[in-house]
Structure formats: structure tokens, C-alpha cells
Amino acid sequence: MPAPELDPTTSAPTESPCREDGFVPLRSYAPIGDGRTIALVAEDGAIDWLPIPNLDSIPAFAAALDSSNGGRLELAPSIPFTSQRRYLPGTNVLETTFSTDAGQVLVTDALNLGLDGRLPWTELVRRVDGVDGEVPMRWRIAPGTCFDTASPWARQTPHGIVLRLKDLNLGVVTSEDMDAEVTDQAVAGAFTIDAGQRRVIGLVATDAEPLMLSPVDDIDRGLDRTVAHWSNWSSQFECTGTWKEALHRSVLFLKLLIFTPTGAVAAAATTSLPERRTGGKNWDYRYAWVRDTAYTLDALRRLGIREETHAAISWLLRTVRRHRAGTGVFYRLDGSPVDPVIEREAPGWRGIGPVVTGNRAHNQLQLSIYADLFSTVRLYVDAGHALDTHTGHMLADFADQACDAWRNRDAGMWELEALEHYTSSKLGCWHALRCAVGLAEMGQIPGDPDRWASEAERIRNWVERECWSDELTSYEWYPGSGKLDASILLHAGSGFDQGPRMSKTIDALRHNLGSGPLLYRFTGAREEQEGAFVACSFWTVSALHSVGRDEEARELMDELVALGNDVGVFAEMIDPGDNSFLGNLPQGLSHLALIGAVLDLQS
């Protein structure tokens, strides 16, 4: 039986020519954020995704997964239009120019920041400036059902318009000369804007606490403050060279995924955007993977970004100590254990389900987690910092664990159900032990580095003997598999192999798993109708550089950068057939791989 729908007379979305059955292509989305949550803005001006108060909250606005009941914030001309977008330079503030036969209008969207950074409430601002002519506009704020767990209601109070959704309080603030129609479950309005005029629509939100209905002028000034804040933040690092714009934009997107209350790094901003059009591969990526944290710290360190680097490594080490019983694959953004997987009442993007919260992979054994943890700490120490005593003892224990654990089958980097002796997993343990030896030699951790060095050499010998395939002329996915795995590319950069074998492996991967500039993640992924994995494609650039094939690396980099959307966003996957996006977005791993590839080519 389908879930009950919202009242169609008050909450039905307005049809847009940009949409098909109420949905836009995933390429249409551009993120804005405040360090606590992220909103996704479509090309037609609608915000189809906004969890409140936190990125991992059940979203109050989730039309990206449920066009009818998900909830959406709309703002666009009420006559036919085209749109063009950009981010204001050095910021995560989005500017959309709508062009109509009647004139042009500029909409600036942001999640506002405060004087000291993140506000203690959520504040969305939508500033409308008339550029040319006289343009009729329409707007609408209609919360959803939180995956069919709540029913929104709206009221005109003595102090302003308030919508309520479970414990959420949502205040709607507009310019004084704008009328608003309040229905049971939504707020909407229309206005005409002339050249030189400005109108502002604000949404202020709190969770189970009083609601501050900020004056509209304060919200408008907050937008200017937010632009200045982002510009100041991005001025701390310099991006130069051929791909400086892609690099700068990717770093700004990465900053959006850093959860400022704790320093955790979210893998992506969304859940359940499908990895294939036939469904079934829909995951919740609003968690902090140890792997992604390691790559983030590497990128931040290389760019000279200090505060986020320390916050992320402090969060990681505190969280690992808190869950000392084992090395978890990922954690909630507040460091607590991962939620159980719940399949929600929502159809999914274009009906491709399931829609889930939680992620079942957290209980898996992934041996590469040792490499992620140790490489993170080694990079931090190499940058001139020192470890505390508790962390040193913990890492010595983990190094001892890795000496034994590498002999086990695991789920591998791709979190598969089949347990195998994955080559990349063994090399993760090798890399972890080599890092542990280096840390011990620098006096940062106690323990027996002779044992770690000996076991690392044993792993190297085993991989060289068991994991090379003469038939494939490549390292294979696992011994005897006759299959390929693109994650081996990471171990050109780790230093395991930068010689002829790795160069031949790159060629084998591109020949067997490649589609144009893109790369599928392992043998069989194409047949499973997944998209090509964006991060693997950028890892190829870094691997080519590591084996001395820079000209090929640069040519590939040019092709890959061009595959982002109009404002530089990358999702998890791209369908090589039509270059459409698949999977959650913005995907941290995709942008981290881009950042790493650019920095490698500049080194």
C-alpha cells in the first residue's frame, strides 16, 4: 500500500520544464552549506535536499528521493526561463541567473554563517535581485514527511510564519512588500521584480529549541557576511596551474563535507542516490569513513590548511580510542556507532529504490583500514607535529594487530560480501606496518619495529609471488581470480611499486575496465550496470605520474576535469554512455582524488 500523500492542494510541487516526473538529473545539483548541513539546489531554482539541523538528520526537504512527499523549496520565474549558474569566487555561495523574455533576475543562495563561523541555528537565505526588465517570480516552502514519519503543518503566528515538523521549527521571513499565502502544510507567494529591486526570502530553523525569527535585513546582511567568511577561508591556500579552478572548487566542496561540530569528514551529502538505474545499490554515505578522513588529511596538509587538519585527526583518534574493541570502517559524524539500516517509505530518485538510512558495511573486516589510520598519523607527524602518549600506545597495539590480521580474508575496499585475500587489503597492511616502523624510529610510538618491518617484508614477498598474473600482465584482484581491481592504483602512490609491473597494471586496467577516460572499479562492475567510478579515474592520473608517464597523465586529467557538472560537482559515478551522474553527491572521494591528482602533477 502506498504511503499517504501530503495535501495536493497545499503541498503539490510546481511543474518545471527542467524536470521529468518531478525529478531533475543528478547533474543538476549544486551544494551550499554551513559546516553542519548541506542543501542541494537544482538548475530550476528548487532546493530538493536539506536535512536539518545536521547533515545526517532525517531530511525535512527530500524531493530528490520523493518528488511528491519529500518536500521542496521553490524559487523561479513564473514564465518560461533558462538558467546559468556560478559560485561567487572563493565561496560556497551559489548565484543563478534566470533569463526570460521579460528580463533577467539574479538569485543568490547560501546557508548563512555567523560572526564566529557556524550559526547556532540553520539559516537559509535566497536573495533575488532584478537585473533587467520586469520578471514575475513564484516561491514556495513545503516541508516533506521525513520519509513518512511526520506530517508538517503551517501557522501564521503573531511574530511571523512558522512551520512545524516533528521537533523542527521552521520560520519563514520575507521582505516587507511580499505577500505570503499560508496553507495547512506549506507557504507560497508570488511577486514581480524590476531591474534594481531586491527581495529576500529566508528560512530559519531550530530543532527542539526556541526559534529566533530574525529580521529579514539581518538575514540579508548575513549573506554578505557569509560571502566574506568564505572568501577569507579560501584565501589561506593558493591554487595555481592548469587545473587551478577545479582544484579550488573541489577544496571548497570538501570543506562543505567537514562537520564542524566535531571535525569529522562526511563521505557525501546524501543517501540512496542510485549507483545503477536498475536499483538495489543505494547506500547512505552521510558517515565519516576512516579512509576518506585519511585522504582528506593528506589533501589539507599538502595545501597548508591547518585548523581542519587538526580537527579531523583529533576526531579520528578520539573516535578510534572510544571504540577500541576494533578498527571500525566508519562512524557517525558525532563519533557514535553507526545506525542500523532502515528501509524508508520513499520511492527513491526517479523511483529507483530503496531509500535507506544507516549502512550495513560498518561491521565488515577491511584490512586497508590499518593503512588509512597509519598513513593519516604518519602524514601528521611528517608535517612537524607530535603524538600524545595514549595515541602512541594505541597505534603500537594496532601495528601488532596488523602483523596477524593480514593473513585473513576480508571484505576489501569495495565492501563486498565475498571475503577474499584481496591484493589491495594485503598492501594496506604492508603500508600500515611501514608507517609504524617510521613512527617508531622517530620516537612517536612504542613497540617492536623489528617485528613490524619483518612482517611488512613478508607481505611484500607474498604479494609479489601470489598476486601477479602473467596472463593479465597485471596485479590481480586476489590470487587466482583472473580479475582486476582498480584500487591497486593507490599503491603506486604508497610506494609499493612504481616500476614496470605497476605500469603494466595501469595499462591492463585501462584496457579491461576503462571506458574513454573513465574507469570501472573492478571486473564485473560494468556488467552489474554500475557507473564508472570517478575516484578510480583520477587515481589513474596519479598512478601514471608515479610511474613517470606524465604526458599521458596530463591528457587524462584534462578529459576527466571536463566531466564535472556546470559548477564543478562530481558524484560517485558517471555513466560513460551519456556522462550522467550516478550515486551520492557531492562525493568526497571523487573530489579528493581530483585534488590528489592535481597536486601530484604539480609536484
Side-chain angles (χ1 to χ4, degrees):
M1 178 180 295
E5 292 193 357
L6 293 170
D7 186 343
T9 63
T10 62
S11 298
T14 306
E15 285 302 316
S16 162
C18 303
R19 294 177 179 266
E20 179 182 324
D21 297 328
F23 295 98
V24 295
L26 297 182
R27 270 187 169 274
S28 180
Y29 288 123
I32 56 175
D34 62 358
R36 189 172 175 181
T37 191
I38 290 176
L40 295 182
V41 187
E43 289 174 287
D44 63 359
I47 294 176
D48 289 347
W49 183 262
L50 177 56
I52 300 172
N54 299 324
L55 181 64
D56 56 0
S57 300
I58 299 296
F61 300 92
L65 296 175
D66 185 349
S67 180
S68 298
N69 279 6
R72 177 181 292 132
L73 300 103
E74 299 174 357
L75 175 61
S78 56
I79 59 177
F81 62 84
T82 60
S83 64
Q84 191 172 20
R85 305 183 294 182
R86 68 164 190 153
Y87 284 97
L88 294 179
T91 79
N92 280 313
V93 175
L94 184 69
E95 186 181 84
T96 304
T97 300
F98 292 102
S99 298
T100 74
D101 289 341
Q104 278 191 336
V105 65
L106 188 69
V107 174
T108 306
D109 285 314
L111 282 167
N112 273 347
L113 299 168
L115 292 172
D116 295 324
R118 179 177 52 82
L119 287 166
W121 58 85
T122 302
E123 186 171 287
L124 171 72
V125 57
R126 315 201 75 181
R127 175 191 285 173
V128 186
D129 287 303
V131 177
D132 179 63
E134 185 179 273
V135 182
M137 302 287 293
R138 57 170 176 78
W139 63 276
R140 182 170 161 277
I141 298 174
T145 64
C146 292
F147 298 144
D148 205 39
T149 64
S151 189
W153 58 280
R155 289 292 181 270
Q156 178 73 62
T157 75
H159 301 291
I161 301 168
V162 176
L163 300 103
R164 301 191 191 279
L165 186 67
K166 280 192 170 179
D167 290 335
L168 290 181
N169 301 297
L170 310 171
V172 178
V173 182
T174 66
S175 297
E176 290 183 2
D177 53 353
M178 292 174 61
D179 294 327
E181 179 187 358
V182 182
T183 56
D184 280 350
Q185 296 184 307
V187 182
F191 60 94
T192 298
I193 189 162
D194 297 336
Q197 290 184 327
R198 171 173 292 177
R199 301 287 187 273
V200 174
I201 301 168
L203 179 73
V204 183
T206 57
D207 180 36
E209 60 190 50
L211 177 65
M212 177 180 289
L213 285 169
S214 303
V216 71
D217 288 345
D218 286 353
I219 293 175
D220 191 29
R221 284 192 295 269
L223 175 54
D224 295 327
R225 183 177 61 240
T226 299
V227 171
H229 177 96
W230 280 118
S231 297
N232 182 61
W233 184 84
S234 62
S235 69
Q236 69 181 298
F237 60 93
E238 185 178 4
C239 297
T240 59
T242 306
W243 306 283
K244 62 182 179 182
E245 292 182 6
L247 173 61
H248 198 258
R249 181 47 48 200
S250 288
V251 176
L252 280 160
F253 288 153
L254 180 61
K255 171 64 173 168
L256 286 181
L257 292 170
I258 297 175
F259 186 63
T260 56
T262 64
V265 183
T270 54
T271 179
S272 306
L273 295 178
E275 295 178 1
R276 62 181 179 187
R277 289 186 173 87
T278 55
K281 290 194 173 188
N282 296 18
W283 319 113
D284 191 347
Y285 277 6
R286 299 172 300 159
Y287 296 97
W289 266 253
V290 176
R291 172 197 64 206
D292 291 32
T293 302
Y295 300 157
T296 300
L297 287 166
D298 184 28
L300 296 175
R301 177 193 63 84
R302 295 171 75 178
L303 290 162
I305 298 172
R306 299 170 62 242
E307 294 179 15
E308 287 78 9
T309 299
H310 183 79
I313 197 167
S314 297
W315 172 86
L316 175 63
L317 295 174
R318 281 197 312 271
T319 302
V320 171
R321 279 202 299 269
R322 177 178 171 183
H323 303 279
R324 188 66 179 272
T327 48
V329 177
F330 54 89
Y331 302 95
R332 289 193 63 181
L333 301 179
D334 64 1
S336 62
V338 175
D339 309 297
V341 176
I342 300 174
E343 187 167 326
R344 298 291 180 172
E345 287 279 359
W349 178 77
R350 290 190 171 161
I352 304 172
V355 171
V356 299
T357 55
N359 192 307
R360 69 170 186 264
H362 70 284
N363 285 326
Q364 290 183 341
L365 173 64
Q366 295 182 28
L367 295 176
S368 61
I369 208 74
Y370 291 107
D372 299 332
L373 182 61
F374 273 95
S375 63
T376 298
V377 175
R378 178 63 192 263
L379 289 168
Y380 188 73
V381 170
D382 285 347
H385 310 302
L387 299 181
D388 61 283
T389 301
H390 294 297
T391 296
H393 284 287
M394 178 186 73
L395 291 173
D397 288 346
F398 281 141
D400 287 338
Q401 287 181 31
C403 286
D404 298 324
W406 78 269
R407 295 179 175 278
N408 295 316
R409 288 181 169 86
D410 78 329
M413 179 178 184
W414 305 121
E415 301 175 350
L416 302 175
E417 294 182 1
L419 302 182
E420 299 287 356
H421 288 293
Y422 294 110
T423 303
S424 285
S425 297
K426 308 307 180 188
L427 291 179
C429 291
W430 169 83
H431 185 55
L433 292 172
R434 292 308 309 163
C435 288
V437 170
L439 290 167
E441 290 173 347
M442 288 186 285
Q444 294 287 332
I445 66 174
D448 186 353
D450 290 340
R451 185 206 176 188
W452 302 337
S454 177
E455 206 65 36
E457 189 63 22
R458 189 170 288 113
I459 297 171
R460 170 182 279 280
N461 292 336
W462 186 87
V463 169
E464 290 179 344
R465 183 178 66 252
E466 302 293 337
C467 300
W468 175 261
S469 168
D470 289 327
E471 183 179 352
L472 295 171
T473 60
S474 171
Y475 292 104
E476 56 186 339
W477 197 357
Y478 50 90
S481 66
K483 299 176 181 178
L484 297 170
D485 169 20
S487 69
I488 191 70
L489 294 168
L490 293 168
H491 293 286
S494 77
F496 173 76
D497 187 348
Q498 297 178 342
R501 276 191 167 187
M502 185 59 73
S503 187
K504 291 177 181 177
T505 296
I506 296 169
D507 291 336
L509 289 168
R510 297 186 75 185
H511 176 73
N512 291 282
L513 303 185
S515 181
L518 294 164
L519 199 68
Y520 289 90
R521 53 188 181 142
F522 51 74
T523 300
R526 189 196 317 257
E527 291 71 21
E528 292 177 15
Q529 298 180 294
E530 286 187 2
F533 203 79
V534 173
C536 292
S537 308
F538 283 110
W539 292 343
T540 307
V541 174
S542 293
L544 284 167
H545 169 75
S546 294
V547 300
R549 295 162 60 177
D550 268 22
E551 184 175 348
E552 292 174 73
R554 290 178 178 277
E555 291 175 358
L556 178 59
M557 191 72 189
D558 283 337
E559 293 183 79
L560 291 173
V561 166
L563 295 178
N565 78 353
D566 61 311
V567 289
V569 173
F570 280 95
E572 181 183 15
M573 296 179 179
I574 294 177
D575 183 340
D578 58 7
N579 288 336
S580 59
F581 282 179
L582 291 169
N584 290 301
L585 61 90
Q587 180 79 7
L589 195 59
S590 298
H591 287 282
L592 284 164
L594 183 156
I595 293 167
V598 173
L599 295 178
D600 287 343
L601 292 176
Q602 291 179 349
S603 62

